Amino acid sequence: MNRRITSGPLLAALLLALAALPVHAQQAPPATAMKADASVDDIISGLEGDKAGTNPANATRALRPGAAAAATMAPQPAVAPRQAAISVQINFDFNSDRISGNSQAMVDNLATAMQAPQLGTRSFTVIGHTDGKGSLAYNQALSERRALAVKRELIRQGVPAARLNSAGKGMSELLNANDPYASENRRVEIRTGN
């Protein structure tokens, strides 16, 4: 009893229902907040995300007899790791893209983690964020300069430039929307690219 829906209100309703479904694949993953004293291992763990083959949701169940045995003998396609993101508190001098001295240890740990073998094939995007003080245009430019400053420091410490990108979000994604001027809104986020 296979009927094809070719026109009419039923098709329109079906298309509207499908359009209303959320598209999870296009959404960026939530960033894991790192403590100010996060270790290299903490950072690596946060940036590894879901390693290929470790997510039970990626597993496929065989439904026909003998399929399980055949599936274990056949080569399995590689499952790409999911994108991961961490949010790190890197302080800057007031109204500046100069990294404060008290954030140097975090940047050092970040550079070491990015060069670890577990993350050796990953690329990263450094994303700058600001608080809500100032104009949209000014905060956008400041967030871009701050992300670029962190990127330059990571390159200086040995992370290959080809693995790094930078971008700014200004004040568009406040971590604490209830207090737009809160210091936690001034942060840098690191996203993995592959």
Side-chain angles (χ1 to χ4, degrees):
M1 178 174 210
N2 290 336
R3 288 196 284 179
R4 292 169 50 135
I5 302 172
T6 57
S7 65
L10 186 56
L11 178 61
L14 181 62
L15 291 175
L16 284 173
L18 288 173
L21 291 174
V23 182
H24 296 290
Q26 295 176 358
Q27 294 178 350
T32 302
M34 291 282 125
K35 300 176 291 188
D37 61 347
S39 70
V40 171
D41 290 337
D42 292 336
I43 294 170
I44 291 170
S45 177
L47 289 174
E48 278 185 305
D50 179 30
K51 294 184 254 177
T54 62
N55 183 352
N58 292 335
T60 302
R61 191 171 57 147
L63 298 177
R64 65 187 196 296
T72 57
M73 294 185 297
Q76 300 296 315
V79 178
R82 287 158 82 149
Q83 189 182 46
I86 61 170
S87 181
V88 293
Q89 198 70 35
I90 295 177
N91 299 314
F92 296 87
D93 291 343
F94 178 71
N95 199 22
S96 166
D97 60 6
R98 186 173 175 187
I99 300 170
S100 295
N102 63 356
S103 291
Q104 194 59 51
M106 174 58 86
V107 176
D108 295 347
N109 285 351
L110 192 55
T112 301
M114 288 178 165
Q115 296 174 75
Q118 301 93 310
L119 300 176
T121 62
R122 301 273 179 119
S123 61
F124 305 96
T125 301
V126 180
I127 304 169
H129 297 270
T130 65
D131 62 22
K133 188 173 186 175
S135 72
L136 288 172
Y138 180 81
N139 279 323
Q140 180 62 38
L142 180 60
S143 68
E144 291 170 6
R145 289 194 323 267
R146 287 178 171 175
L148 191 56
V150 172
K151 176 184 172 183
R152 281 193 299 259
E153 180 61 17
L154 293 171
I155 292 168
R156 190 188 71 72
Q157 292 195 35
V159 179
R163 294 176 54 206
L164 294 171
N165 294 304
S166 65
K169 296 279 186 151
M171 60 176 150
S172 66
E173 295 178 9
L174 296 174
L175 196 58
N176 182 352
N178 294 327
D179 183 2
Y181 305 136
S183 63
E184 61 264 26
N185 291 321
R186 299 184 295 270
R187 68 197 190 281
V188 172
E189 191 175 335
I190 309 296
R191 290 201 180 274
T192 59
N194 60 356

